[in-house]
Amino acid sequence: MSGGANLPALRHHNASLVLDLLRVAGEQGISRLELAERTGLTPQAVSKITARLRAEGLAAEAGRLASTGGKPRTVLRLVPDAGYAVGLHLDRDELTAVLADLAGTTVATRTFPLDLGAPAADVLATAAHAVQTVRAEGRRTEDRPVFGVGAALPGPLDHRSGVLHRVTGFPRWDGYPLRDALAEHTGLPVVVDKDTNAAALGLALRERTEADFAYLHLGTGLGAGLVLGGALHRGARTGAGEFGHQTLQLDGPPCHCGGRGCIEALCLAAAGRGDVAEAARVLGAGAANLVGLLDIDRVVLGGRTVAAHEDAYVRGVRAVIEERARREGVTASVPVTVAGGGDRPVAEGAAQLVLAPLFGRAGEDGGERG
Amino acid sequence: MSGGANLPALRHHNASLVLDLLRVAGEQGISRLELAERTGLTPQAVSKITARLRAEGLAAEAGRLASTGGKPRTVLRLVPDAGYAVGLHLDRDELTAVLADLAGTTVATRTFPLDLGAPAADVLATAAHAVQTVRAEGRRTEDRPVFGVGAALPGPLDHRSGVLHRVTGFPRWDGYPLRDALAEHTGLPVVVDKDTNAAALGLALRERTEADFAYLHLGTGLGAGLVLGGALHRGARTGAGEFGHQTLQLDGPPCHCGGRGCIEALCLAAAGRGDVAEAARVLGAGAANLVGLLDIDRVVLGGRTVAAHEDAYVRGVRAVIEERARREGVTASVPVTVAGGGDRPVAEGAAQLVLAPLFGRAGEDGGERG
DNA sequence: TGCACTTTGGCAACAGCGTTGCTTAAGTGG
DNA sequence: CCACTTAAGCAACGCTGTTGCCAAAGTGCA
């Protein structure tokens, strides 16, 4: 990748920055002068940038603040329906599709049965149909653009090339160029990523901060998504987030992966025998490892297994993290919360895979504007 | 922090990029056209940028390549003695100071006895004297600028403010503003960071790639430094790299930190009873966890304990990582090597804390050019 | 030796970025 | 009603990388 920057890149960078602040400000909006303070740009530059954004229909004026002795500040806000993105969550037995607007609000949701073991053509047809359905359903006006499709699915894959690897349990997909195939079927740009990454991105963007963030997903397996510095950390091979098979018990009980003492094995074994407290304690130990290693600011739990006993998992994980923080003499502990909405966060995050680059939240490789 | 970019920022960004490629190219140099290809800038832009760098004395022409049918390419290289930085490693009983040139070559090294438990004024005086000594000793010509001092030391601290926390074993330092104090004593800009971070940065910059990188330091304690995307990952509170007290054995033997089954406790216990193979296996398990979680490209081991049995540790760690890679079906395993030179890498990396921002390798907060 | 061709790299003009200086708009308070 | 304050835009400007063009410096063949 290049890294060299020219004037259009500069312009795009600053526009993304302003757009992200508008997104974070939400319906409440933000004044030009605060944008200037937050970006470090001069007020005049912000005026020019917001004028362009307004001309493109991405931003609009929305009232004014109270005067502080002079002309009152004009409030700007994002125009949510200036553009949309489709998010797909391809799970083992189910396909969830959402249409999200620029503000990240889900304006349409649909669920379809799916068999990931079926031939690629069938899966592709289902996915393309789902895209068409939510596109038709969600937009208030037909002429608004749809920027693309984000597809999230389990198992290893390569985000850069959009090619799948050995999706767990479905070896047939190994080497399948899902991104290009889906792009051809839908006529839209497509981004693919792991389900945990998508969920982590979506949940991180919901917040108003740029804090470092970890999402732990406990369902039929255990995985993690990491958002560092406001953008997904995928690693060179999209392999980051391999959390379930971290060794947490040297020479512990065997795991189906061939290893021993993996977090996933310990956690699911405890959950399987109904010992939620122990499962939460194991998960907490892994989470605390992660928090310490990366100096994470916030941990969010999700997935079906967690959803069944939300309070118990949050309490258990929080207890371990707080205890370790106390040992290290840190006063402020890392907050632990749970992602509501079952599996929806994955599909919503998948849509954010497309939208995030507009706000400068792309991962390592900088995505272009459509 | 801001993030807004203007023309000087653009210019600085591109200059850093070119300077970094020149640094990586080393004595061999690199042609203008290859710089253009690698940065994505036009050849004309590279010509202008390199002309400025040559005018500033940072770059110089160095011969030409063989012709490929037309005018041969002119090779450019970094001028190593265009500037220097001092690196300090404040260890518990010893102070190592180095003077490094722009290319990262150490041109002077000195070691002084030090008692970290002594009053701050004494420690400061020793450090300032060490800085003066290597400054006087190393530079070929007196008029070359020294950009600043990087100070690396154990224990938690805040990189941004330059304030120490509870340096392990020396609680007196808690809250001491080392950066500002040392800046006043030396008259130079100062950067402070953890010893493991400094070592990781220095070792990462030695390589020609921008791969994600982990440095594991096993001495009297066990810590890690992480370089992600070419720059140090410190976390919001400079707390990242807390590797020694990762739980690796749930409910395992107690650790002096108050926890149980920490990697450090397991590893040092094995090393203490002479079981190097077991210590290496434990370290390997932790390293494999880290590699999987972050999709790390390369692991380097260092520290006095490792230095005593380099081959055994490298073999042991490599074995665990390779076994896990095999389980996951990954063909190319992550290389594991050892950092030579005892504790010198820490002091050399400390100098890089000052130099890295010139090459766009600063951490989250973008450092300015002097 | 001479000429056609290829490739490198700089000069000059240019479009477009944020910045600066100043003006206009739109409030508050006496 | 007027002085004052604050917000926001217009115009000119400096500087960025880009584009179009040309000189420099090689190779290869006649």
PDB file of all heavy atoms in Angstrom, chain C residues 18-29:
ATOM      1  P    DG C  18      -9.233  21.681   3.087  1.00  0.00           P
ATOM      2  OP1  DG C  18      -9.609  20.569   3.974  1.00  0.00           O
ATOM      3  OP2  DG C  18     -10.275  22.510   2.451  1.00  0.00           O
ATOM      4  O5'  DG C  18      -8.233  22.640   3.873  1.00  0.00           O
ATOM      5  C5'  DG C  18      -7.137  22.073   4.578  1.00  0.00           C
ATOM      6  C4'  DG C  18      -6.242  23.187   5.082  1.00  0.00           C
ATOM      7  O4'  DG C  18      -5.952  24.088   3.983  1.00  0.00           O
ATOM      8  C3'  DG C  18      -6.849  24.059   6.180  1.00  0.00           C
ATOM      9  O3'  DG C  18      -5.828  24.417   7.111  1.00  0.00           O
ATOM     10  C2'  DG C  18      -7.373  25.263   5.415  1.00  0.00           C
ATOM     11  C1'  DG C  18      -6.336  25.403   4.310  1.00  0.00           C
ATOM     12  N9   DG C  18      -6.880  26.035   3.107  1.00  0.00           N
ATOM     13  C8   DG C  18      -8.012  25.682   2.424  1.00  0.00           C
ATOM     14  N7   DG C  18      -8.255  26.432   1.385  1.00  0.00           N
ATOM     15  C5   DG C  18      -7.220  27.350   1.400  1.00  0.00           C
ATOM     16  C6   DG C  18      -6.946  28.432   0.521  1.00  0.00           C
ATOM     17  O6   DG C  18      -7.591  28.792  -0.465  1.00  0.00           O
ATOM     18  N1   DG C  18      -5.790  29.124   0.885  1.00  0.00           N
ATOM     19  C2   DG C  18      -4.997  28.797   1.973  1.00  0.00           C
ATOM     20  N2   DG C  18      -3.932  29.565   2.172  1.00  0.00           N
ATOM     21  N3   DG C  18      -5.238  27.793   2.791  1.00  0.00           N
ATOM     22  C4   DG C  18      -6.361  27.120   2.452  1.00  0.00           C
ATOM     23  P    DT C  19      -6.075  25.490   8.279  1.00  0.00           P
ATOM     24  OP1  DT C  19      -5.205  25.106   9.398  1.00  0.00           O
ATOM     25  OP2  DT C  19      -7.527  25.616   8.491  1.00  0.00           O
ATOM     26  O5'  DT C  19      -5.531  26.848   7.670  1.00  0.00           O
ATOM     27  C5'  DT C  19      -4.175  26.928   7.272  1.00  0.00           C
ATOM     28  C4'  DT C  19      -3.754  28.381   7.061  1.00  0.00           C
ATOM     29  O4'  DT C  19      -4.369  28.875   5.837  1.00  0.00           O
ATOM     30  C3'  DT C  19      -4.177  29.334   8.175  1.00  0.00           C
ATOM     31  O3'  DT C  19      -3.064  30.157   8.525  1.00  0.00           O
ATOM     32  C2'  DT C  19      -5.315  30.153   7.568  1.00  0.00           C
ATOM     33  C1'  DT C  19      -4.999  30.111   6.077  1.00  0.00           C
ATOM     34  N1   DT C  19      -6.180  30.159   5.172  1.00  0.00           N
ATOM     35  C2   DT C  19      -6.245  31.117   4.189  1.00  0.00           C
ATOM     36  O2   DT C  19      -5.387  31.970   4.025  1.00  0.00           O
ATOM     37  N3   DT C  19      -7.364  31.052   3.395  1.00  0.00           N
ATOM     38  C4   DT C  19      -8.404  30.146   3.485  1.00  0.00           C
ATOM     39  O4   DT C  19      -9.362  30.175   2.726  1.00  0.00           O
ATOM     40  C5   DT C  19      -8.269  29.167   4.541  1.00  0.00           C
ATOM     41  C7   DT C  19      -9.337  28.142   4.737  1.00  0.00           C
ATOM     42  C6   DT C  19      -7.178  29.220   5.324  1.00  0.00           C
ATOM     43  P    DT C  20      -3.181  31.175   9.782  1.00  0.00           P
ATOM     44  OP1  DT C  20      -1.855  31.204  10.420  1.00  0.00           O
ATOM     45  OP2  DT C  20      -4.379  30.844  10.562  1.00  0.00           O
ATOM     46  O5'  DT C  20      -3.432  32.596   9.096  1.00  0.00           O
ATOM     47  C5'  DT C  20      -2.565  33.029   8.054  1.00  0.00           C
ATOM     48  C4'  DT C  20      -3.090  34.318   7.445  1.00  0.00           C
ATOM     49  O4'  DT C  20      -4.210  34.026   6.570  1.00  0.00           O
ATOM     50  C3'  DT C  20      -3.593  35.359   8.453  1.00  0.00           C
ATOM     51  O3'  DT C  20      -2.946  36.591   8.211  1.00  0.00           O
ATOM     52  C2'  DT C  20      -5.103  35.433   8.198  1.00  0.00           C
ATOM     53  C1'  DT C  20      -5.201  35.005   6.749  1.00  0.00           C
ATOM     54  N1   DT C  20      -6.489  34.343   6.377  1.00  0.00           N
ATOM     55  C2   DT C  20      -7.123  34.729   5.227  1.00  0.00           C
ATOM     56  O2   DT C  20      -6.706  35.598   4.490  1.00  0.00           O
ATOM     57  N3   DT C  20      -8.282  34.034   4.960  1.00  0.00           N
ATOM     58  C4   DT C  20      -8.849  33.033   5.722  1.00  0.00           C
ATOM     59  O4   DT C  20      -9.892  32.491   5.381  1.00  0.00           O
ATOM     60  C5   DT C  20      -8.131  32.680   6.918  1.00  0.00           C
ATOM     61  C7   DT C  20      -8.656  31.620   7.810  1.00  0.00           C
ATOM     62  C6   DT C  20      -6.996  33.356   7.181  1.00  0.00           C
ATOM     63  P    DG C  21      -3.166  37.818   9.241  1.00  0.00           P
ATOM     64  OP1  DG C  21      -1.896  38.561   9.296  1.00  0.00           O
ATOM     65  OP2  DG C  21      -3.794  37.316  10.476  1.00  0.00           O
ATOM     66  O5'  DG C  21      -4.225  38.724   8.465  1.00  0.00           O
ATOM     67  C5'  DG C  21      -3.986  39.074   7.087  1.00  0.00           C
ATOM     68  C4'  DG C  21      -5.110  39.942   6.581  1.00  0.00           C
ATOM     69  O4'  DG C  21      -6.213  39.104   6.156  1.00  0.00           O
ATOM     70  C3'  DG C  21      -5.684  40.911   7.621  1.00  0.00           C
ATOM     71  O3'  DG C  21      -5.909  42.182   7.008  1.00  0.00           O
ATOM     72  C2'  DG C  21      -6.983  40.238   8.060  1.00  0.00           C
ATOM     73  C1'  DG C  21      -7.411  39.527   6.779  1.00  0.00           C
ATOM     74  N9   DG C  21      -8.240  38.348   6.999  1.00  0.00           N
ATOM     75  C8   DG C  21      -8.129  37.431   8.018  1.00  0.00           C
ATOM     76  N7   DG C  21      -9.011  36.472   7.950  1.00  0.00           N
ATOM     77  C5   DG C  21      -9.762  36.777   6.826  1.00  0.00           C
ATOM     78  C6   DG C  21     -10.876  36.112   6.247  1.00  0.00           C
ATOM     79  O6   DG C  21     -11.422  35.077   6.634  1.00  0.00           O
ATOM     80  N1   DG C  21     -11.332  36.768   5.097  1.00  0.00           N
ATOM     81  C2   DG C  21     -10.791  37.915   4.594  1.00  0.00           C
ATOM     82  N2   DG C  21     -11.370  38.394   3.495  1.00  0.00           N
ATOM     83  N3   DG C  21      -9.760  38.556   5.115  1.00  0.00           N
ATOM     84  C4   DG C  21      -9.297  37.926   6.226  1.00  0.00           C
ATOM     85  P    DC C  22      -6.569  43.361   7.869  1.00  0.00           P
ATOM     86  OP1  DC C  22      -5.966  44.621   7.361  1.00  0.00           O
ATOM     87  OP2  DC C  22      -6.531  43.035   9.294  1.00  0.00           O
ATOM     88  O5'  DC C  22      -8.085  43.344   7.377  1.00  0.00           O
ATOM     89  C5'  DC C  22      -8.371  43.338   5.967  1.00  0.00           C
ATOM     90  C4'  DC C  22      -9.835  43.036   5.751  1.00  0.00           C
ATOM     91  O4'  DC C  22     -10.126  41.679   6.135  1.00  0.00           O
ATOM     92  C3'  DC C  22     -10.808  43.920   6.538  1.00  0.00           C
ATOM     93  O3'  DC C  22     -11.589  44.680   5.641  1.00  0.00           O
ATOM     94  C2'  DC C  22     -11.642  42.940   7.356  1.00  0.00           C
ATOM     95  C1'  DC C  22     -11.460  41.636   6.599  1.00  0.00           C
ATOM     96  N1   DC C  22     -11.616  40.417   7.444  1.00  0.00           N
ATOM     97  C2   DC C  22     -12.603  39.484   7.118  1.00  0.00           C
ATOM     98  O2   DC C  22     -13.310  39.688   6.131  1.00  0.00           O
ATOM     99  N3   DC C  22     -12.756  38.385   7.888  1.00  0.00           N
ATOM    100  C4   DC C  22     -11.966  38.198   8.944  1.00  0.00           C
ATOM    101  N4   DC C  22     -12.139  37.100   9.674  1.00  0.00           N
ATOM    102  C5   DC C  22     -10.943  39.142   9.303  1.00  0.00           C
ATOM    103  C6   DC C  22     -10.806  40.234   8.528  1.00  0.00           C
ATOM    104  P    DT C  23     -12.678  45.711   6.196  1.00  0.00           P
ATOM    105  OP1  DT C  23     -12.596  46.910   5.332  1.00  0.00           O
ATOM    106  OP2  DT C  23     -12.569  45.832   7.659  1.00  0.00           O
ATOM    107  O5'  DT C  23     -14.027  44.950   5.847  1.00  0.00           O
ATOM    108  C5'  DT C  23     -14.195  44.341   4.559  1.00  0.00           C
ATOM    109  C4'  DT C  23     -15.497  43.553   4.539  1.00  0.00           C
ATOM    110  O4'  DT C  23     -15.349  42.356   5.338  1.00  0.00           O
ATOM    111  C3'  DT C  23     -16.704  44.311   5.104  1.00  0.00           C
ATOM    112  O3'  DT C  23     -17.798  44.206   4.202  1.00  0.00           O
ATOM    113  C2'  DT C  23     -16.988  43.614   6.426  1.00  0.00           C
ATOM    114  C1'  DT C  23     -16.473  42.202   6.171  1.00  0.00           C
ATOM    115  N1   DT C  23     -16.021  41.489   7.392  1.00  0.00           N
ATOM    116  C2   DT C  23     -16.543  40.246   7.665  1.00  0.00           C
ATOM    117  O2   DT C  23     -17.364  39.696   6.963  1.00  0.00           O
ATOM    118  N3   DT C  23     -16.048  39.674   8.820  1.00  0.00           N
ATOM    119  C4   DT C  23     -15.118  40.205   9.691  1.00  0.00           C
ATOM    120  O4   DT C  23     -14.762  39.594  10.688  1.00  0.00           O
ATOM    121  C5   DT C  23     -14.624  41.515   9.337  1.00  0.00           C
ATOM    122  C7   DT C  23     -13.620  42.182  10.222  1.00  0.00           C
ATOM    123  C6   DT C  23     -15.090  42.092   8.221  1.00  0.00           C
ATOM    124  P    DT C  24     -19.127  45.032   4.505  1.00  0.00           P
ATOM    125  OP1  DT C  24     -19.573  45.565   3.206  1.00  0.00           O
ATOM    126  OP2  DT C  24     -18.903  45.929   5.652  1.00  0.00           O
ATOM    127  O5'  DT C  24     -20.146  43.892   4.953  1.00  0.00           O
ATOM    128  C5'  DT C  24     -20.348  42.756   4.101  1.00  0.00           C
ATOM    129  C4'  DT C  24     -21.171  41.709   4.833  1.00  0.00           C
ATOM    130  O4'  DT C  24     -20.401  41.157   5.920  1.00  0.00           O
ATOM    131  C3'  DT C  24     -22.470  42.228   5.453  1.00  0.00           C
ATOM    132  O3'  DT C  24     -23.518  41.340   5.105  1.00  0.00           O
ATOM    133  C2'  DT C  24     -22.185  42.240   6.937  1.00  0.00           C
ATOM    134  C1'  DT C  24     -21.209  41.073   7.054  1.00  0.00           C
ATOM    135  N1   DT C  24     -20.318  41.105   8.240  1.00  0.00           N
ATOM    136  C2   DT C  24     -20.233  39.985   9.031  1.00  0.00           C
ATOM    137  O2   DT C  24     -20.853  38.967   8.812  1.00  0.00           O
ATOM    138  N3   DT C  24     -19.377  40.107  10.097  1.00  0.00           N
ATOM    139  C4   DT C  24     -18.627  41.209  10.438  1.00  0.00           C
ATOM    140  O4   DT C  24     -17.890  41.193  11.414  1.00  0.00           O
ATOM    141  C5   DT C  24     -18.759  42.340   9.571  1.00  0.00           C
ATOM    142  C7   DT C  24     -17.979  43.594   9.848  1.00  0.00           C
ATOM    143  C6   DT C  24     -19.590  42.243   8.520  1.00  0.00           C
ATOM    144  P    DA C  25     -24.993  41.576   5.632  1.00  0.00           P
ATOM    145  OP1  DA C  25     -25.911  41.202   4.530  1.00  0.00           O
ATOM    146  OP2  DA C  25     -25.080  42.912   6.249  1.00  0.00           O
ATOM    147  O5'  DA C  25     -25.127  40.483   6.784  1.00  0.00           O
ATOM    148  C5'  DA C  25     -24.856  39.117   6.469  1.00  0.00           C
ATOM    149  C4'  DA C  25     -25.213  38.241   7.658  1.00  0.00           C
ATOM    150  O4'  DA C  25     -24.201  38.401   8.682  1.00  0.00           O
ATOM    151  C3'  DA C  25     -26.546  38.564   8.330  1.00  0.00           C
ATOM    152  O3'  DA C  25     -27.166  37.348   8.703  1.00  0.00           O
ATOM    153  C2'  DA C  25     -26.144  39.393   9.546  1.00  0.00           C
ATOM    154  C1'  DA C  25     -24.798  38.768   9.907  1.00  0.00           C
ATOM    155  N9   DA C  25     -23.855  39.667  10.551  1.00  0.00           N
ATOM    156  C8   DA C  25     -23.484  40.916  10.153  1.00  0.00           C
ATOM    157  N7   DA C  25     -22.593  41.486  10.929  1.00  0.00           N
ATOM    158  C5   DA C  25     -22.359  40.531  11.911  1.00  0.00           C
ATOM    159  C6   DA C  25     -21.505  40.518  13.043  1.00  0.00           C
ATOM    160  N6   DA C  25     -20.713  41.524  13.370  1.00  0.00           N
ATOM    161  N1   DA C  25     -21.518  39.403  13.803  1.00  0.00           N
ATOM    162  C2   DA C  25     -22.317  38.393  13.464  1.00  0.00           C
ATOM    163  N3   DA C  25     -23.162  38.293  12.435  1.00  0.00           N
ATOM    164  C4   DA C  25     -23.124  39.406  11.696  1.00  0.00           C
ATOM    165  P    DA C  26     -28.641  37.337   9.223  1.00  0.00           P
ATOM    166  OP1  DA C  26     -29.228  36.050   8.795  1.00  0.00           O
ATOM    167  OP2  DA C  26     -29.297  38.617   8.879  1.00  0.00           O
ATOM    168  O5'  DA C  26     -28.467  37.307  10.803  1.00  0.00           O
ATOM    169  C5'  DA C  26     -27.802  36.207  11.412  1.00  0.00           C
ATOM    170  C4'  DA C  26     -27.706  36.442  12.897  1.00  0.00           C
ATOM    171  O4'  DA C  26     -26.632  37.366  13.183  1.00  0.00           O
ATOM    172  C3'  DA C  26     -28.961  37.061  13.525  1.00  0.00           C
ATOM    173  O3'  DA C  26     -29.281  36.367  14.708  1.00  0.00           O
ATOM    174  C2'  DA C  26     -28.547  38.482  13.824  1.00  0.00           C
ATOM    175  C1'  DA C  26     -27.074  38.263  14.157  1.00  0.00           C
ATOM    176  N9   DA C  26     -26.246  39.459  14.088  1.00  0.00           N
ATOM    177  C8   DA C  26     -26.325  40.492  13.204  1.00  0.00           C
ATOM    178  N7   DA C  26     -25.447  41.444  13.399  1.00  0.00           N
ATOM    179  C5   DA C  26     -24.731  41.000  14.502  1.00  0.00           C
ATOM    180  C6   DA C  26     -23.651  41.556  15.214  1.00  0.00           C
ATOM    181  N6   DA C  26     -23.088  42.720  14.916  1.00  0.00           N
ATOM    182  N1   DA C  26     -23.178  40.856  16.269  1.00  0.00           N
ATOM    183  C2   DA C  26     -23.750  39.689  16.578  1.00  0.00           C
ATOM    184  N3   DA C  26     -24.769  39.060  15.982  1.00  0.00           N
ATOM    185  C4   DA C  26     -25.213  39.779  14.939  1.00  0.00           C
ATOM    186  P    DG C  27     -30.754  36.220  15.264  1.00  0.00           P
ATOM    187  OP1  DG C  27     -31.352  35.097  14.567  1.00  0.00           O
ATOM    188  OP2  DG C  27     -31.388  37.571  15.205  1.00  0.00           O
ATOM    189  O5'  DG C  27     -30.563  35.844  16.799  1.00  0.00           O
ATOM    190  C5'  DG C  27     -30.615  36.864  17.779  1.00  0.00           C
ATOM    191  C4'  DG C  27     -29.294  36.900  18.525  1.00  0.00           C
ATOM    192  O4'  DG C  27     -28.326  37.573  17.700  1.00  0.00           O
ATOM    193  C3'  DG C  27     -29.341  37.713  19.796  1.00  0.00           C
ATOM    194  O3'  DG C  27     -29.725  36.891  20.876  1.00  0.00           O
ATOM    195  C2'  DG C  27     -27.895  38.172  19.955  1.00  0.00           C
ATOM    196  C1'  DG C  27     -27.397  38.234  18.514  1.00  0.00           C
ATOM    197  N9   DG C  27     -27.227  39.601  17.991  1.00  0.00           N
ATOM    198  C8   DG C  27     -27.895  40.166  16.943  1.00  0.00           C
ATOM    199  N7   DG C  27     -27.496  41.384  16.686  1.00  0.00           N
ATOM    200  C5   DG C  27     -26.515  41.644  17.633  1.00  0.00           C
ATOM    201  C6   DG C  27     -25.718  42.797  17.854  1.00  0.00           C
ATOM    202  O6   DG C  27     -25.738  43.853  17.230  1.00  0.00           O
ATOM    203  N1   DG C  27     -24.847  42.631  18.919  1.00  0.00           N
ATOM    204  C2   DG C  27     -24.751  41.482  19.673  1.00  0.00           C
ATOM    205  N2   DG C  27     -23.856  41.500  20.657  1.00  0.00           N
ATOM    206  N3   DG C  27     -25.480  40.392  19.482  1.00  0.00           N
ATOM    207  C4   DG C  27     -26.337  40.548  18.447  1.00  0.00           C
ATOM    208  P    DT C  28     -30.446  37.496  22.141  1.00  0.00           P
ATOM    209  OP1  DT C  28     -30.923  36.391  22.975  1.00  0.00           O
ATOM    210  OP2  DT C  28     -31.385  38.530  21.661  1.00  0.00           O
ATOM    211  O5'  DT C  28     -29.263  38.240  22.903  1.00  0.00           O
ATOM    212  C5'  DT C  28     -28.158  37.499  23.398  1.00  0.00           C
ATOM    213  C4'  DT C  28     -27.225  38.410  24.175  1.00  0.00           C
ATOM    214  O4'  DT C  28     -26.722  39.452  23.293  1.00  0.00           O
ATOM    215  C3'  DT C  28     -27.883  39.131  25.350  1.00  0.00           C
ATOM    216  O3'  DT C  28     -27.043  39.038  26.493  1.00  0.00           O
ATOM    217  C2'  DT C  28     -28.038  40.567  24.875  1.00  0.00           C
ATOM    218  C1'  DT C  28     -26.890  40.713  23.876  1.00  0.00           C
ATOM    219  N1   DT C  28     -27.161  41.677  22.777  1.00  0.00           N
ATOM    220  C2   DT C  28     -26.418  42.819  22.667  1.00  0.00           C
ATOM    221  O2   DT C  28     -25.528  43.124  23.430  1.00  0.00           O
ATOM    222  N3   DT C  28     -26.763  43.633  21.604  1.00  0.00           N
ATOM    223  C4   DT C  28     -27.755  43.400  20.671  1.00  0.00           C
ATOM    224  O4   DT C  28     -27.976  44.199  19.775  1.00  0.00           O
ATOM    225  C5   DT C  28     -28.499  42.180  20.845  1.00  0.00           C
ATOM    226  C7   DT C  28     -29.581  41.837  19.886  1.00  0.00           C
ATOM    227  C6   DT C  28     -28.185  41.375  21.875  1.00  0.00           C
ATOM    228  P    DG C  29     -27.635  39.462  27.910  1.00  0.00           P
ATOM    229  OP1  DG C  29     -26.914  38.680  28.932  1.00  0.00           O
ATOM    230  OP2  DG C  29     -29.110  39.426  27.824  1.00  0.00           O
ATOM    231  O5'  DG C  29     -27.209  40.978  28.035  1.00  0.00           O
ATOM    232  C5'  DG C  29     -25.819  41.315  28.012  1.00  0.00           C
ATOM    233  C4'  DG C  29     -25.630  42.813  28.155  1.00  0.00           C
ATOM    234  O4'  DG C  29     -25.981  43.466  26.902  1.00  0.00           O
ATOM    235  C3'  DG C  29     -26.515  43.470  29.230  1.00  0.00           C
ATOM    236  O3'  DG C  29     -25.761  44.494  29.873  1.00  0.00           O
ATOM    237  C2'  DG C  29     -27.664  44.070  28.427  1.00  0.00           C
ATOM    238  C1'  DG C  29     -26.927  44.490  27.152  1.00  0.00           C
ATOM    239  N9   DG C  29     -27.778  44.602  25.972  1.00  0.00           N
ATOM    240  C8   DG C  29     -28.811  43.774  25.598  1.00  0.00           C
ATOM    241  N7   DG C  29     -29.375  44.125  24.478  1.00  0.00           N
ATOM    242  C5   DG C  29     -28.676  45.268  24.092  1.00  0.00           C
ATOM    243  C6   DG C  29     -28.837  46.105  22.956  1.00  0.00           C
ATOM    244  O6   DG C  29     -29.651  45.999  22.041  1.00  0.00           O
ATOM    245  N1   DG C  29     -27.909  47.157  22.955  1.00  0.00           N
ATOM    246  C2   DG C  29     -26.961  47.362  23.923  1.00  0.00           C
ATOM    247  N2   DG C  29     -26.164  48.409  23.752  1.00  0.00           N
ATOM    248  N3   DG C  29     -26.803  46.587  24.996  1.00  0.00           N
ATOM    249  C4   DG C  29     -27.690  45.576  25.010  1.00  0.00           C
TER     250       DG C  29
END
